[in-house]
Amino acid sequence: MNKTNKDVIVVGFALFAMFFGAGNLIFPPFLGVISGESWITGFSGFVIADVGLALLAIIAAAKCGGDINKVLGRPGKNLSIVLGTAIMICLGPLLAIPRTAATTFEMGVAPLFSGVNPVLFSVIFFAITLILTIRPSKVVDIIGEFLTPALLIALAVLIIKGIISPLGAINPKPMIEHVFAEGVAQGYQTMDALGAVALSTVVITSLGNKGYTDAKEKVKLTIKSGVVAAIGLCFVYGGLTYLGATVSKIYGQDVAQTTLIVEMTASLLGKPGKIILSAIVGLACLTTAVGLTSATGQFFENLTKGKLKYEVVVIVVCIFSAIVSNFGVSTIIKFSAPILDMVYPVTIVLVIMTLFGNKIKNNNAFKGAAYMALIISILPFANKFGLDTSFLSKLPFAPLGFNWIVPVVIAGVIGNFIPSIDNNEIKDRIDRAN
């Protein structure tokens, strides 16, 4: 195997592991339970909304050199900074990173070692994260060469055992009416497209450190690595969804997602299953924490043009995340999820438009689409102030969580017909007027 192909596989493995957090572990089995024999249909919807959007985000970010501000920049610099900062704070120390430690403790440590102090565990978890993150050039290699193979082996043991010895017969009837739509909705909830935009920065940096200096080559290799990660995610998601389908006659819609994966693992592998699950959760969360911590450090270093050093940012992120993680998974999600709900649609819109950026010449098309996505995402919170927003549930694609699509398309088309004047042209007009 030549060096380039090896690098693509290593980077692809790293991307897979950075995407595959504990949330990605618990969604597919539950989808399998409620889908029954239609689990492939549900799985298809999940893959489109999760892996599909994430792959598009990787391609868009790669075309922009891994710079989040360029992906978000066409609607204007101010919106780009606000959105980029909100995304990185949520993916960073406010939500995703502390959630990795909290989930590892609740699902991987507490069931095995009841006496472990959660504060002590968070300190140890983020000390390891910091050690693996402090040198950005080594992040992808550490994850891709060492941590991902261990994660894949642990997942393979669970999935293969479930295929060879199914836990039960698959329910012939799904528990829900719109299986594909439910798959899309659950895939959408993983919000991996946000992570893809951020993690592409880590990938681009790694490829540069490996000696790839040509911009087009780095884009090409980043996209290939994204495809490797996407293939791995599809196989794992498919296996986990099938495992859920095999217990669709045992559990109902009311089963807790974390409880489901714990009990499935125990039924398949007995007492060693707790150790296997602990390894899966720990590795999945650690690789995600490492990737997102590194991405956060690089983002704020670039945003401040080096005034905030990468090393300083990752140290602060690890300390802050260690503190927040002790509030527990449910509290973290409750506090931060609304912010993600607001920034996710506009990010998807800008990712997709970036893919066709060469064909969309008018920046007002980007502005119209972006601000409309933001408005539709913010409106649900207006209920608290007495504003009736029930019309949002009647918009096209609302059941799939995509009620913003049609308004965004309309706003983008309208914006495209409004002449765009750049700063240089404004300056020229002022000079001529004087």
Side-chain angles (χ1 to χ4, degrees):
M1 182 183 296
N2 62 38
K3 180 181 182 297
T4 300
N5 289 337
K6 181 182 177 181
D7 289 339
V8 166
I9 292 174
V10 169
V11 174
F13 273 22
L15 262 179
F16 164 86
M18 288 187 283
F19 278 131
F20 192 80
N24 306 66
L25 175 66
I26 63 177
F27 281 123
F30 179 75
L31 181 61
V33 168
I34 60 178
S35 300
E37 282 195 355
S38 300
W39 69 270
I40 293 180
T41 302
F43 160 72
S44 300
F46 185 89
V47 166
I48 290 172
D50 178 271
V51 180
L53 287 177
L55 189 56
L56 290 179
I58 289 172
I59 295 171
K63 290 179 66 176
C64 295
D67 188 342
I68 297 177
N69 291 318
K70 289 183 179 179
V71 177
L72 307 176
R74 290 283 293 270
K77 183 178 179 180
N78 292 335
L79 181 63
S80 168
I81 293 174
V82 171
L83 275 178
T85 302
I87 289 170
M88 293 313 305
I89 288 177
C90 285
L91 287 176
L94 193 60
L95 171 60
I97 295 175
R99 189 174 66 181
T100 58
T103 303
T104 302
F105 180 79
E106 293 178 16
M107 290 181 62
V109 176
L112 287 177
F113 310 101
S114 57
V116 176
N117 185 295
V119 176
L120 176 61
F121 171 77
S122 65
V123 171
I124 295 172
F125 183 92
F126 284 108
I128 296 172
T129 301
L130 180 59
I131 291 170
L132 297 178
T133 310
I134 200 70
R135 295 183 63 187
S137 62
K138 295 294 183 183
V139 169
V140 169
D141 287 341
I142 291 169
I143 295 176
E145 293 184 18
F146 303 107
L147 299 181
T148 305
L151 173 60
L152 286 172
I153 290 170
L155 285 167
V157 169
L158 176 64
I159 293 172
I160 292 172
K161 175 64 176 176
I163 293 173
I164 295 174
S165 305
L167 290 172
I170 298 177
N171 195 335
K173 293 183 179 180
M175 301 177 190
I176 53 176
E177 291 185 8
H178 306 291
V179 175
F180 183 82
E182 180 64 24
V184 170
Q186 295 215 21
Y188 182 55
Q189 288 177 36
T190 65
M191 298 188 175
D192 276 345
L194 285 181
V197 175
L199 294 172
S200 293
T201 305
V202 181
V203 172
I204 294 289
T205 300
S206 175
L207 290 172
N209 291 327
K210 289 179 181 295
Y212 300 100
T213 56
D214 181 72
K216 290 184 178 179
E217 186 178 25
K218 285 196 285 187
V219 169
K220 184 179 178 180
L221 294 179
T222 300
I223 294 172
K224 285 185 176 181
S225 300
V227 172
V228 170
I231 292 172
L233 289 170
C234 287
F235 277 113
V236 172
Y237 288 152
L240 292 173
T241 307
Y242 170 74
L243 294 189
T246 63
V247 294
S248 54
K249 284 189 174 182
I250 302 173
Y251 299 99
Q253 296 184 60
D254 57 341
V255 63
Q257 292 170 323
T258 52
T259 301
L260 175 64
I261 189 66
V262 170
E263 293 186 358
M264 281 174 48
T265 305
S267 298
L268 285 169
L269 302 172
K271 290 184 178 180
K274 288 186 176 181
I275 299 175
I276 296 292
L277 180 61
S278 179
I280 292 172
V281 172
L283 287 166
C285 289
L286 181 61
T287 51
T288 300
V290 170
L292 291 178
T293 300
S294 182
T296 304
Q298 292 184 47
F299 172 80
F300 284 106
E301 184 178 55
N302 293 334
L303 181 65
T304 61
K305 297 180 180 178
K307 292 180 181 178
L308 279 176
K309 298 298 183 183
Y310 171 88
E311 293 80 5
V312 173
V313 175
V314 297
I315 290 172
V316 171
V317 167
C318 286
I319 293 173
F320 188 83
S321 298
I323 296 170
V324 175
S325 68
N326 285 283
F327 288 101
V329 176
S330 58
T331 302
I332 294 170
I333 293 175
K334 183 179 180 180
F335 179 74
S336 301
I339 304 174
L340 280 174
D341 288 339
M342 285 189 283
V343 302
Y344 195 54
V346 65
T347 304
I348 293 176
V349 168
L350 292 177
V351 161
I352 293 174
M353 293 185 76
T354 297
L355 296 174
F356 303 97
N358 294 335
K359 298 183 182 298
I360 305 174
K361 305 298 184 182
N362 192 337
N363 284 346
N364 283 331
F366 281 81
K367 289 181 180 179
Y371 280 104
M372 179 57 72
L374 205 55
I375 290 169
I376 296 295
S377 301
I378 292 174
L379 276 177
F381 300 96
N383 281 326
K384 296 180 180 179
F385 301 97
L387 183 66
D388 182 15
T389 59
S390 58
F391 71 94
L392 293 173
S393 62
K394 299 176 183 178
L395 292 173
F397 310 113
L400 300 179
F402 296 115
N403 61 346
W404 44 267
I405 287 181
V406 172
V408 161
V409 171
I410 293 173
V413 171
I414 293 173
N416 193 55
F417 286 101
I418 299 175
S420 177
I421 304 175
D422 61 27
N423 292 333
N424 291 330
E425 188 173 347
I426 293 174
K427 185 179 178 181
D428 290 340
R429 290 189 180 188
I430 294 173
D431 290 341
R432 287 196 298 269
N434 293 332

